[in-house]
Amino acid sequence: MEEPSDSPHHEHQFVEYLEDVECLRRKIKFYFMNPCEKYHARGRKPWKLMLQIIKIAIITIQLVSFGLSNQMVVLFTEENLSTFKNLFLKDYDGDMDSYAVYRQADVYDHIDYILVQYGDLHSLTVGNQEYDKNYPMSVCQEFYKNSTISPGNETFDIDIHVINVNASALSSRMLSVKITFVLKAINLQTVRYREMPDCYDFTIIITFDNQVHSGRIKVDLESDVEINECRDLKVTGASARNIHPTVLFDCLVIITCIASFALCTRSVINGIQLQFVSSSNLYFICKVLELKHCGCQVPWSDRLEFLNGWYILIMVTDILNIIGSILKIEIQTKVLTNYDVCSIFLGTGTMFVWIGIIRYMGYFRKYNILILTMRAGFPNVIRFICCAGIIYMSYCFCGWIVLGPYHEKFRTLNMVSECLFSLINGDDMFATFLEMKQKSLLVWLFSRIYLYTFISLFIYMILNLFITIIADTYYTVKRQSGKPRSELQRFISLCKDLPNSGMYRCEENKGFFLNDCITR
């Protein structure tokens, strides 16, 4: 015979169900507590918080140290480049954009000038530049293999294969003349900061560019830098600082980031496991909340709340800083000489580290509104940017093809985008209108309609719509502040146990078997 529904056995089983539900609720509430509340709840020390504070300090110190070192390298490299231009370019006036030659005699004179200046380098320079005996100067000319050009008869016969030979007599087939040589120099300014000086190998390439064949040969000077450790050095009057303390500090940063990555990974895994536990026991959540749609699946918005985006950001930050620190060590040991890649990793990693501070500011109610506004408004902002971006690109393509031949700022698609973005921010408006050439009245009138409509549309309409979206989201979040925004938060809000009540300590090692209770 079946046991009555109100038998003591069923009452006892129902009490166990409720205890398991309360246990699950406390478990979820504990997961979403801030570090201080977790300390009061279970006495768990906020290791991640303390580690993040330490990491912010040492990563910032590392970035400042690297920035100062990089600043000295950039200063020395740029000043040497300026020196080379003034030494080897005839009649150089500081403007490479307009530096060009127009006659064959001028080409020969400029090449002879470079050769003479190179030979008299010791008596000319006031720096410590020196020849590299392993790489003598080379003069190379590139020209078409064969060509017969007759503009008067409007005919030409050309073989587009390019031949590289030592410089000889110039002809209409010439594409370019390249003069290449290597100079060595020592950066002595690092000695003042108790650092080991570096040796620089400057590969200088002077190019006479005749690709366009317009009668104007552009002249350009470029310099590639390779940094090496000096073979034999002696510093009198001061002891140069060794690189080992800096390398050890970088190793400390790597170890700290690895520890931070491990702790955040553990928290993410715990959140995913807790998400599966709460999702598999939706029946009890629905039962306690008395939901009409009991039995449906947990919405993805509730599931994603267990996946803490801040932990993901910290993990990405740790990876960037680990890679950047390894590259920095290789630069200091002269294995690498490219500062750009290392700067990108360290700069981006430090930026994300400081952005991560917002997570802890969110524990204060007034600051939390800002974070909630950014989170709630993000989907609407993305949709708005997609729509505005389509209009923006349409203006970019139109301006490039129509105004490009008549306006300096519309010559390339990249320049058009930069010009229009500056107009949105109110920069350079009058100059953009003024620089439009009036060679074609039709295009000039079109440019006025184009610029007036773009400025009016984006500044007075689209930007105001963007501000309205953010303001509307802010007031919505502020109005709903303190109220549960999802079923998961409603479930957690029913737990009235305070962090210091002691109820969370007894649940620390207790598992959840609500699914087992259902099958019993």
Side-chain angles (χ1 to χ4, degrees), residues 291-302:
L291 297 177
K292 296 181 180 180
H293 53 279
C294 181
C296 66
Q297 292 186 353
V298 177
W300 278 103
S301 59
D302 287 356

Side-chain angles (χ1 to χ4, degrees), residues 143-195:
F143 56 89
Y144 291 124
K145 185 176 181 180
N146 186 23
S147 67
T148 303
I149 303 174
S150 178
N153 298 329
E154 298 181 353
T155 60
F156 71 93
D157 181 13
I158 189 169
D159 186 348
I160 62 173
H161 292 89
V162 177
I163 299 177
N164 297 316
V165 297
N166 292 330
S168 58
L170 302 180
S171 69
S172 59
R173 296 183 295 161
M174 186 192 78
L175 293 173
S176 66
V177 174
K178 290 185 178 181
I179 302 176
T180 306
F181 54 92
V182 179
L183 296 179
K184 304 177 75 68
I186 299 178
N187 188 0
L188 298 177
Q189 63 176 334
T190 57
V191 178
R192 295 180 300 170
Y193 300 96
R194 304 294 192 269
E195 293 185 359

Side-chain angles (χ1 to χ4, degrees), residues 13 21 25 28 32 34 41 75 83 89 99 125 133 137 151 156 165 283 319 341 349 366 385 406 430 498 515 518:
Q13 190 178 23
V21 171
R25 184 183 286 114
I28 298 175
F32 288 102
N34 62 51
L75 178 63
T83 299
L89 298 183
Y99 191 77
T125 181
K133 299 178 182 178
M137 174 185 284
F156 71 93
V165 297
Y283 170 80
I319 294 174
V341 179
K366 292 184 178 180
I385 291 177
Y406 301 93
F430 180 73
L498 298 176
N515 287 331
I518 294 174

Side-chain angles (χ1 to χ4, degrees), residues 320-473:
L320 292 174
N321 283 295
I322 289 172
I323 298 175
S325 298
I326 294 174
L327 294 176
K328 183 173 181 289
I329 292 174
E330 293 183 345
I331 289 175
Q332 291 170 340
T333 55
K334 311 309 177 195
V335 177
L336 293 178
T337 59
N338 191 344
Y339 279 72
D340 296 336
V341 179
C342 182
S343 300
I344 291 174
F345 278 102
L346 290 181
T348 307
T350 306
M351 178 183 68
F352 286 158
V353 165
W354 281 91
I355 291 176
I357 299 177
I358 299 178
R359 172 177 181 261
Y360 300 102
M361 296 178 66
Y363 295 137
F364 302 95
R365 184 176 299 275
K366 292 184 178 180
Y367 294 105
N368 192 40
I369 294 179
L370 173 62
I371 300 174
L372 293 177
T373 301
M374 294 171 61
R375 182 194 302 175
F378 183 75
N380 292 331
V381 170
I382 294 298
R383 286 190 287 267
F384 174 84
I385 291 177
C386 290
C387 296
I390 294 174
I391 302 175
Y392 183 82
M393 289 305 300
S394 66
Y395 270 89
C396 286
F397 287 117
C398 179
W400 174 45
I401 199 66
V402 178
L403 306 182
Y406 301 93
H407 202 296
E408 191 70 28
K409 296 181 180 180
F410 290 81
R411 291 293 167 85
T412 64
L413 196 59
N414 182 53
M415 294 177 65
V416 174
S417 179
E418 293 174 354
C419 176
L420 295 183
F421 190 80
S422 299
L423 290 177
I424 294 176
N425 291 278
D427 298 336
D428 237 9
M429 280 193 183
F430 180 73
T432 304
F433 279 95
L434 188 64
E435 292 177 9
M436 182 64 195
K437 298 177 182 178
Q438 300 186 22
K439 292 183 178 179
S440 172
L441 179 61
L442 179 62
V443 176
W444 184 85
L445 292 175
F446 179 87
S447 69
R448 266 42 193 172
I449 299 174
Y450 173 87
L451 293 173
Y452 279 123
T453 55
F454 176 82
I455 293 171
S456 301
L457 181 63
F458 273 84
I459 293 181
Y460 303 123
M461 187 175 180
I462 293 181
L463 287 185
N464 283 315
L465 283 174
F466 180 78
I467 296 172
T468 302
I469 291 174
I470 300 298
D472 183 64
T473 305

Side-chain angles (χ1 to χ4, degrees), residues 258-278:
I258 292 175
S260 173
F261 184 86
L263 291 176
C264 291
T265 303
R266 187 192 66 174
S267 298
V268 170
I269 294 175
N270 291 338
I272 295 174
Q273 292 175 345
L274 187 58
Q275 182 268 134
F276 282 117
V277 171
S278 62

Side-chain angles (χ1 to χ4, degrees), residues 21-34 36-44 491-510 512:
V21 171
E22 290 299 323
C23 183
L24 176 60
R25 184 183 286 114
R26 280 191 290 268
K27 183 80 171 180
I28 298 175
K29 184 176 181 180
F30 177 80
Y31 178 77
F32 288 102
M33 287 181 180
N34 62 51
C36 296
E37 292 175 341
K38 287 183 178 180
Y39 176 76
H40 291 296
R42 292 183 181 175
R44 180 179 295 179
F491 177 74
I492 299 174
S493 65
L494 294 177
C495 180
K496 305 301 180 182
D497 298 326
L498 298 176
N500 55 2
S501 63
M503 296 298 297
Y504 298 91
R505 295 179 183 270
C506 61
E507 305 290 350
E508 185 172 1
N509 298 318
K510 183 176 180 180
F512 302 97

